[in-house]
Amino acid sequence: MSSGSSSEPAAETGTETPTATETATPESTPESLDDWLEDANGYDGELRRYGPQSRPTIMLGEETDDGLAFSPPVIEVPPMTNVRWDWTGHGGQQNVVALDGTFDSGRTNAQSGTMYHYFFEETGEYRYVSEPHRDDGMKGAIIVKEPPSSGNTELDEWLVESSNFDGTIADRTDTDTATVTAGADGNGGQFAFDPPALKISTETTVRWDWTGDGGPHNIVSKDNGPLDSELVADEGSAYEHTFEATGTYLYSCKPHEGLGMRGAVVVE
Ligand SMILES: [Cu+2]
């Protein structure tokens, strides 16, 4: 299952027994992931989620207010994802070592341009450190789990990288006017729609209310849908649309679409 050269940090798949000199000490007492990550440099409690077919890259040696960090420190990926680590060249010698020995980039390296990758096949929580900086908070985690599922595939694929989407479609089928907050917490700032997905009946008006946070946002349909608001930043701004026809309507805030600022309206 292994491939790549042995002298450089190399591609690996499957499980490998760490060598004696490079063995990471297993945790002696189980500690929750949240507790373990509490002093992880650059971690603000929000993980970055990637969808299927994505190619996540984590930078080593990112300078943060806390100190040297993996960036992003915590990511969530589906099974069968190849995760890559790139050395920035900052902060001296670094490596990537899973606490449970699942993956190990080998000898430390300080060279910008060094890379390592590991193919995650199975679900699980993988904690890892850069050994020279493990006591200084340079640590991270890869969470491998199935993406959130609402049962609506089109919607699930559109929202998979939206941090506040957990597979729930908020039920607003019993109201004539449903509201969505634009500029809610999420996606690494105030870059979320809340709720990200909602379900309404035909003839229902959806109103998006701007919080004023996160800079200018807009509401624009994917492809050629009916939603097309102005790009505005002011708190108290609003945009409305009344949905006549059934279907799944996908939209985003164009400036923040890549961050995951996406939403969906299901009209029944
Ligand atoms: Cu936005």
Side-chain angles (χ1 to χ4, degrees):
M1 297 281 289
S2 289
S3 63
S5 74
S6 55
S7 57
E8 292 289 315
E12 292 173 28
T13 59
T15 307
E16 175 180 277
T17 308
T19 60
T21 53
E22 290 166 348
T23 301
T25 311
E27 300 288 277
S28 51
T29 49
E31 186 183 10
S32 78
L33 186 62
D34 283 346
D35 287 348
W36 188 74
L37 288 169
E38 201 163 338
D39 64 346
N41 296 343
Y43 182 56
D44 61 1
E46 194 175 351
L47 59 82
R48 172 87 198 266
R49 189 197 295 133
Y50 292 84
Q53 284 90 51
S54 60
R55 307 179 63 85
T57 298
I58 298 166
M59 304 304 294
L60 274 83
E62 190 93 344
E63 304 275 1
T64 69
D65 292 344
D66 304 328
L68 286 176
F70 292 105
S71 178
V74 184
I75 68 171
E76 182 181 308
V77 302
M80 312 307 281
T81 299
N82 191 49
V83 176
R84 172 175 144 178
W85 286 264
D86 276 357
W87 273 242
T88 60
H90 295 300
Q93 298 286 328
Q94 318 279 358
N95 64 0
V96 174
V97 178
L99 294 192
D100 67 2
T102 302
F103 53 90
D104 184 344
S105 69
R107 287 180 308 174
T108 61
N109 194 310
Q111 286 290 319
S112 162
T114 303
M115 60 159 276
Y116 170 69
H117 59 102
Y118 185 80
F119 186 70
F120 290 87
E121 295 181 30
E122 303 195 3
T123 58
E125 285 179 357
Y126 302 90
R127 306 172 189 197
Y128 68 94
V129 297
S130 174
E131 288 177 315
H133 304 101
R134 64 182 301 161
D135 295 330
D136 303 323
M138 190 167 165
K139 55 211 268 194
I142 311 293
I143 299 167
V144 184
K145 65 189 281 191
E146 297 295 340
S149 173
S150 68
N152 179 327
T153 308
E154 187 187 4
L155 179 152
D156 291 343
E157 287 177 1
W158 179 243
L159 296 179
V160 67
E161 296 188 355
S162 301
S163 70
N164 65 335
F165 176 63
D166 63 2
T168 305
I169 301 177
D171 189 344
R172 303 284 189 269
T173 51
D174 58 354
T175 177
D176 294 334
T177 307
T179 56
V180 176
T181 303
D185 284 338
N187 301 315
Q190 280 74 47
F191 305 125
F193 293 110
D194 183 33
L198 72 165
K199 180 166 66 178
I200 59 171
S201 308
T202 52
E203 307 300 330
T204 299
T205 298
V206 176
R207 192 182 77 232
W208 285 264
D209 286 331
W210 271 247
T211 61
D213 298 323
H217 304 298
N218 59 8
I219 315 294
V220 178
S221 284
K222 180 176 186 260
D223 305 324
N224 292 314
L227 305 174
D228 187 15
S229 85
E230 304 213 347
L231 181 64
V232 288
D234 303 331
E235 179 184 1
S237 301
Y239 173 68
E240 287 188 349
H241 181 79
T242 302
F243 291 85
E244 316 281 352
T246 59
T248 297
Y249 296 82
L250 307 177
Y251 67 90
S252 66
C253 164
K254 281 292 168 193
H256 303 126
E257 180 181 299
L259 297 175
M261 191 166 179
R262 300 171 179 216
V265 179
V266 178
V267 184
E268 299 190 332

